[in-house]
């Protein structure tokens, strides 16, 4: 007999019991389902599905208080699990705690927009409370979900739960059975975006519009994808076309205004926002958009007024408070802090508003020297956001290890002289909040250099080279770089120069791409653009990591939402930069933020020497350079340098032992 047949797989045994518990619940035997779940939890106390089924079983057994305790344990296990909040809402409703139930249902759909039962409850609650606009929005979500076949309803939930592999398999199977279903194609495009497969997503949405030219939902998604790819000119054209399909649609008008803003048509965008506010003054998002536009062009006082208008319309609008905090120079009044505390503490506050309020309160209290309380809010905001994004630092560590394994000196020797020889690009990279925006502002003050944006082109190319593969399959990239021929490398480099031309308005010989995550692809950059210059914006570990930890990013940078997570990422970054230094000596200039603050002129001359450019005094007066700045440091780089911000992390030193433990003593002391 095969000895393997004598052995049982503990995980498989638990899975069998969970399926049996589901079946028991479905046939109306909650007590049996509960006992099966308890058996599983005895072996694995944090089994998500067992906790969820047990909570449902206890509620079906008319024990909502017990079920509520199970949902609280479930949320601790997986704070991003939307169904846990939905079950919590059901329990609270059964207990008559309606305000708390409303908050739970709002949290449920914030984590998972595919939860039809939660949307239906929100329709009831908002209607009963006379909140017509909120009820109508929830009703529209119900109508959309109910219009989908059950298979696609399941896919929506899977996407929201970050179960992308299963979602992709199910939607592809649906398309094989049902042909060219545009809603399925839209969902597959959404999955592609989450996998950074932008080419595939773009093709799918273009195909939707060929099949159904009048499909405004697909057209809307298409504009947003073009914007995400920073194809701002095309996005503006497509937004204009969508606008013509449905004149006076407020959502499409706002979409067009956002694209006008992206291409630098600030006056047109602001006029459109103003017209929209005249028609709908109670829409807080419109006021927020005006604030963002004004901030970008340096009109801080007007931006502050717009952000205040946003929370004036909706007092619990967390993004408005965070936008004020994110100016970095704004100081909250006592009444604003009291208001933020009150709304953050209310059960009915939505998840997104809650973590925005937490980060804003962290900054407000930091400015007042209440560091311990400030850290409490920063930590809570990070915990809530981390649950939403579902980041796993181990996956990134493995991906970065592949760069060290495959991007060797032998690879670069093999392709010496290949690639596009254009010297135009200057890459400023590293980690966010390490001074990259400052370096860009300094260098773009030079007459021969133009600053652009955090361009996605290199990241998109890396994903394209990696190709399509199933979840769990080994990565193709960067191991397949050795298979690319010189002609292909040259073509990729030429495409980068061509595709980024749209961002070059001044016609200078050199331009900056300051996408920080490009540090993971320096090998690829060197192969396709061997004459490009690369600057590593480096900041001491504790200061850099903590600055990232207290920043709520508009998108991306998921590694910052936890001291352990950001510490691992910093270690991986330093290790990879050391590797690039060994296999591409002299390719990268490291510029330490602390050195720039201590002696600006020396570091400016050092950078310009590296770039082969003459010194210009304008680089020392960078804060006087007028240009649109879209990052979190937009207001800081419009001021002279101050040394007071370098070691702010020390105010929180007593709370940062988890970060020190990950970094280790050598890095933590840098």
């Amino acid at each position: 007999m095969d000895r393997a047949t004598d052995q049982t797989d503990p995980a498989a045994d638990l899975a069998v019991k969970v399926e049996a518990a589901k079946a028991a619940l479905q046939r109306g035997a909650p007590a049996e389902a509960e006992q099966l779940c308890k058996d599983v939890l005895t072996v694995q106390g944090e089994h998500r599905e067992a906790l969820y089924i047990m909570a449902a079983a206890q509620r079906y057994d008319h024990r909502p208080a017990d079920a509520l305790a199970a949902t609280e344990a479930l949320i601790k296990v997986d704070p991003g699990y939307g169904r846990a909040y939905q079950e919590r809402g059901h329990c609270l409703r059964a207990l008559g705690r309606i305000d708390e139930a409303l908050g739970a249902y709002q949290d449920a759909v914030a984590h998972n927009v595919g939860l039809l039962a939660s949307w239906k409850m929100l329709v009831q609650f908002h209607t009963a409370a006379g909140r017509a606009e909120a009820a109508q929005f929830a009703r529209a979500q119900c109508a959309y979900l109910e219009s989908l076949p059950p298979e696609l309803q399941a896919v929506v939930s899977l996407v929201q739960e970050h179960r992308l592999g299963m979602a992709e398999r199910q939607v592809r199977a649906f398309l094989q059975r049902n042909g060219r279903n545009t809603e399925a194609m839209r969902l597959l495009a959404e999955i592609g975006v989450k996998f950074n497969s932008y080419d595939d997503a773009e093709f799918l949405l273009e195909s939707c519009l060929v099949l159904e030219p009048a499909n405004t939902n697909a057209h809307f998604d298409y504009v947003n994808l073009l914007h995400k790819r920073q194809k701002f000119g095309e996005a503006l054209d497509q937004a204009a076309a969508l606008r013509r399909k449905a004149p006076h649609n407020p959502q499409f008008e706002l979409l067009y205004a956002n694209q006008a803003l992206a291409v630098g048509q600030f006056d047109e965008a602001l006029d459109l926002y103003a017209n929209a506010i005249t028609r709908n003054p109670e829409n807080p998002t419109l006021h927020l958009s005006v604030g963002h536009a004004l901030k970008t062009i340096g009109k801080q006082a007007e931006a502050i007024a717009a952000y205040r208008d946003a929370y004036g319309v909706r007092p619990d609008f967390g993004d408005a408070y965070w936008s004020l905090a994110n100016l970095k120079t704004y100081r909250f009044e006592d009444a604003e802090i009291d208001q933020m505390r009150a709304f953050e503490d209310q059960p009915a506050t939505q998840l997104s508003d809650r973590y925005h309020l937490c980060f804003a309160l962290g900054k407000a209290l930091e400015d007042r020297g209440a560091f311990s309380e400030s850290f409490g809010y920063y930590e809570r905001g990070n915990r809530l956001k981390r649950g939403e994004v579902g980041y796993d630092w181990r996956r990134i560590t493995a991906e970065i290890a592949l760069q060290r394994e495959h991007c060797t000196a032998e690879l670069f020797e093999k392709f010496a002289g290949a690639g596009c020889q254009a010297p135009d690009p200057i890459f400023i990279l590293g980690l966010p909040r390490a001074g990259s925006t400052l370096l860009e502002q300094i260098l773009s003050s030079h007459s021969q250099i133009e600053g652009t944006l955090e361009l996605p082109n290199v990241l998109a190319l890396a994903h394209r080279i990696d190709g399509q593969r199933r979840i769990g399959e080994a990565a193709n990239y960067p191991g397949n770089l050795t298979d690319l021929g010189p002609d292909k490398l040259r073509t990729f480099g030429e495409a980068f120069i061509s595709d980024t031309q749209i961002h070059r308005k001044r016609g200078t010989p050199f331009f900056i791409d300051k996408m920080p995550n490009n540090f993971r692809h320096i090998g690829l950059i060197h192969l396709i653009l061997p004459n490009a210059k690369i600057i590593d914006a480096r900041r001491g570990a504790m200061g850099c990591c903590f600055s990232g930890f207290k920043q709520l990013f508009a998108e991306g940078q998921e590694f910052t939402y936890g001291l352990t997570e950001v510490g691992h990422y910093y270690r991986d970054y330093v290790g990879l930069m050391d590797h690039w230094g060994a296999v591409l000596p002299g390719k990268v200039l490291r510029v330490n933020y602390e050195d720039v603050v201590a002696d600006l002129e020396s570091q400016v001359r050092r950078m310009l020497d590296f770039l082969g450019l003459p010194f210009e005094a304008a680089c020392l007066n960078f804060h006087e350079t007028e240009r649109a700045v879209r990052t979190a440091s937009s207001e800081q780089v419009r001021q002279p340098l101050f040394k007071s911000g370098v070691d702010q992390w020390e105010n929180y030193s007593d709370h940062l032992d988890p970060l020190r433990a990950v970094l280790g003593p050598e890095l933590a002391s840098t």
Side-chain angles (χ1 to χ4, degrees):
M1 178 183 290
D2 186 344
R3 290 184 59 184
T5 60
D6 288 334
Q7 299 174 350
T8 59
D9 181 349
D13 183 51
L14 294 182
V16 169
K17 286 190 176 182
V18 167
E19 290 303 315
K22 287 181 185 177
L25 196 60
Q26 289 169 355
R27 68 171 184 270
E32 181 184 345
E34 181 180 3
Q35 186 56 54
L36 285 164
C37 290
K38 286 182 176 178
D39 292 345
V40 172
L41 293 168
T42 300
V43 178
Q44 186 177 331
E46 295 188 344
H47 195 291
R48 190 180 77 170
E49 288 303 302
L51 282 167
Y52 174 67
I53 297 168
M54 186 173 76
Q58 290 169 336
R59 179 170 58 84
Y60 287 2
D61 202 29
H62 308 292
R63 293 154 49 208
D66 291 340
L68 183 61
T71 66
E72 290 171 352
L74 175 56
I75 289 168
K76 287 181 180 179
V77 169
D78 187 353
Y81 190 35
R83 293 180 190 277
Y85 297 95
Q86 177 171 271
E87 188 59 38
R88 177 178 171 79
H90 294 335
C91 296
L92 290 165
R93 179 168 171 262
L95 291 166
R97 294 158 62 177
I98 301 303
D99 287 344
E100 293 176 77
L102 170 62
Y105 288 127
Q106 288 175 327
D107 284 346
V109 296
H111 285 295
N112 185 345
V113 296
L115 295 176
L116 180 59
S118 288
W119 285 118
K120 287 182 174 180
M121 293 309 307
L122 287 171
V123 171
Q124 290 186 29
F125 285 179
H126 289 314
T127 301
R131 294 185 287 267
E133 185 177 349
Q136 181 56 38
F137 180 78
R139 198 172 291 113
Q141 298 302 309
C142 289
Y144 168 69
L145 290 171
E146 290 175 327
S147 73
L148 296 176
E151 301 97 318
L152 295 186
Q153 286 188 30
V155 169
V156 171
S157 283
L158 288 170
V159 170
Q160 296 296 310
E161 293 171 4
H162 309 291
R163 298 163 70 183
L164 299 179
M166 184 179 294
E168 181 180 9
R169 289 191 293 274
Q170 290 193 16
V171 75
R172 287 189 184 279
F174 180 88
L175 283 167
Q176 287 176 350
R177 294 191 304 268
N178 296 277
R180 297 178 174 181
N181 181 289
T182 52
E183 284 306 308
M185 293 167 69
R186 284 182 62 214
L187 282 169
L188 190 56
E190 181 182 353
I191 294 167
V193 169
K194 292 182 181 298
F195 278 132
N196 296 307
S197 298
Y198 296 140
D199 289 340
D200 294 339
E202 190 170 335
F203 174 77
L204 283 164
L205 293 173
E206 287 172 346
S207 300
C208 286
L209 294 176
V210 170
L211 293 169
E212 293 184 16
N215 189 324
T216 54
N217 288 332
H219 207 154
F220 188 87
D221 291 349
Y222 185 49
V223 174
N224 281 322
L225 176 59
L226 291 171
H227 182 96
K228 191 175 188 71
R229 303 197 72 176
Q230 298 193 5
K231 295 183 176 182
F232 297 134
E234 293 177 53
L236 181 65
D237 292 342
Q238 289 297 325
L242 179 57
R243 206 176 168 205
R244 290 191 293 271
K245 285 182 183 178
H248 311 303
N249 180 301
Q251 190 177 23
F252 299 163
E253 288 287 305
L254 182 58
L255 182 71
Y256 178 82
N258 292 341
Q259 309 320 309
L261 181 66
V263 298
Q265 297 176 8
F266 299 109
D267 291 341
E268 181 181 14
L270 286 167
D271 285 344
L272 289 166
Y273 291 139
N275 292 337
I277 288 173
T278 299
R279 295 192 302 271
N280 189 6
E282 298 304 306
N283 185 331
T285 303
L286 289 173
H287 295 285
L288 189 77
S289 298
V290 170
H292 292 342
L294 292 166
K295 170 189 172 182
T296 299
I297 59 178
K299 295 187 175 181
Q300 187 183 100
E302 293 94 328
I304 289 171
Y307 292 142
R308 284 176 161 173
D309 288 341
Y311 78 62
V313 169
R314 181 159 77 82
D316 66 346
F317 190 23
D319 203 350
Y321 298 99
W322 168 245
S323 296
L324 287 166
N326 203 30
L327 291 169
K328 308 303 181 188
T329 56
Y330 182 77
R331 298 296 178 263
F332 286 98
E333 298 175 357
D334 290 347
E336 291 174 311
I337 292 177
D338 291 343
Q339 185 162 289
M340 285 191 286
R341 287 186 198 271
F343 283 114
E344 197 282 324
D345 193 48
Q346 287 184 7
T349 300
Q350 296 186 49
L351 174 69
S352 176
D353 291 314
R354 192 180 306 282
Y355 60 66
H356 277 91
L357 287 166
C358 284
F359 278 95
L361 280 164
K363 179 65 168 66
L365 294 166
E366 177 181 2
D367 291 337
R368 295 186 171 208
F371 299 118
S372 184
E373 190 179 7
S374 166
F375 181 83
Y377 279 112
Y378 280 140
E379 196 281 328
R380 177 169 166 77
N382 274 279
R383 178 161 31 89
L384 293 170
K385 183 66 176 176
R386 185 167 66 250
E388 182 180 76
V389 301
Y391 175 79
D392 183 359
W393 62 265
R394 298 167 188 82
R395 180 177 61 83
I396 302 302
T397 295
E399 289 181 5
I400 289 177
L402 291 176
Q403 296 286 336
R404 295 197 298 270
E405 178 183 351
H406 294 290
C407 293
T408 62
E410 290 74 20
L411 173 69
F412 300 123
E413 183 178 351
K414 174 182 177 180
F415 290 115
C420 171
Q421 302 301 308
D424 308 29
I426 300 168
F427 292 92
I428 300 178
L429 42 74
L431 297 193
R433 311 299 298 150
S436 59
T437 302
L438 172 62
L439 298 189
E440 181 196 36
Q441 181 77 355
I442 290 169
L443 292 177
S444 64
S445 301
H446 195 282
S447 61
Q448 296 188 51
I449 303 174
E450 179 173 9
T452 58
L453 297 165
E454 295 181 357
L455 304 178
N457 302 67
V458 171
L459 305 184
L461 176 59
H463 286 292
R464 178 181 169 191
I465 294 171
D466 193 26
Q468 290 189 349
R469 52 189 173 88
R470 295 183 181 276
I471 294 290
E473 286 185 345
N476 300 309
Y477 168 85
N480 60 356
L481 286 176
T482 190
D483 300 327
L484 302 177
D487 290 344
K488 180 68 75 173
L489 295 173
R490 184 180 66 254
T491 299
F492 286 152
E494 290 171 349
F496 178 89
I497 298 297
S498 174
D499 293 344
T500 55
Q501 190 64 42
I502 189 173
H503 304 293
R504 303 176 68 177
K505 311 295 186 184
R506 290 170 45 199
T508 57
F510 305 98
F511 72 100
I512 296 170
D513 174 353
K514 67 171 292 290
M515 173 62 76
N517 297 338
N518 280 340
F519 82 86
R520 294 168 58 181
H521 306 288
I522 287 176
L524 176 60
I525 291 171
H526 179 72
L527 289 173
I528 68 171
L529 294 161
N531 292 321
K533 300 293 187 181
I534 301 175
I535 295 176
D536 171 23
R538 183 75 62 93
R539 185 175 179 181
M542 295 297 290
C544 184
C545 292
F546 183 68
S547 186
F549 175 80
K550 66 179 186 174
Q551 178 67 39
L552 177 58
F553 293 91
E555 64 176 356
Q557 316 303 357
E558 288 89 355
F559 66 89
T560 63
Y561 299 117
L563 294 176
T564 297
E565 288 76 6
V566 72
H568 279 291
Y569 198 84
Y570 192 95
R571 284 184 64 90
D572 290 337
Y573 152 68
V574 170
L576 185 56
M577 293 309 299
D578 288 345
H579 172 75
W580 297 132
V583 298
L584 291 171
K587 179 68 181 180
V588 181
L589 178 70
R590 183 195 303 176
V591 179
N592 294 315
Y593 172 72
E594 294 83 358
D595 294 340
V596 175
V597 173
D599 188 350
L600 175 62
E601 182 170 346
S602 293
Q603 293 303 311
V604 168
R605 290 184 181 277
R606 181 169 168 259
M607 286 189 289
L608 293 177
D609 286 345
F610 175 73
L611 299 174
L613 294 174
F615 175 78
E616 290 183 2
C619 295
L620 300 180
N621 301 315
F622 61 88
H623 53 282
E624 298 175 0
T625 300
E626 293 187 8
R627 54 184 290 267
V629 183
R630 302 174 189 269
T631 68
S633 305
S634 60
E635 295 310 307
Q636 291 168 305
V637 299
R638 292 186 173 114
Q639 303 176 38
L641 283 179
F642 296 100
K643 297 182 180 181
S644 58
V646 173
D647 297 321
Q648 289 179 346
W649 68 268
E650 292 181 349
N651 296 314
Y652 297 85
S653 184
D654 291 345
H655 303 280
L656 302 183
D657 284 345
L659 175 58
R660 290 188 183 90
V662 172
L663 290 172
E666 184 176 351
L667 279 181
S669 64
T670 60

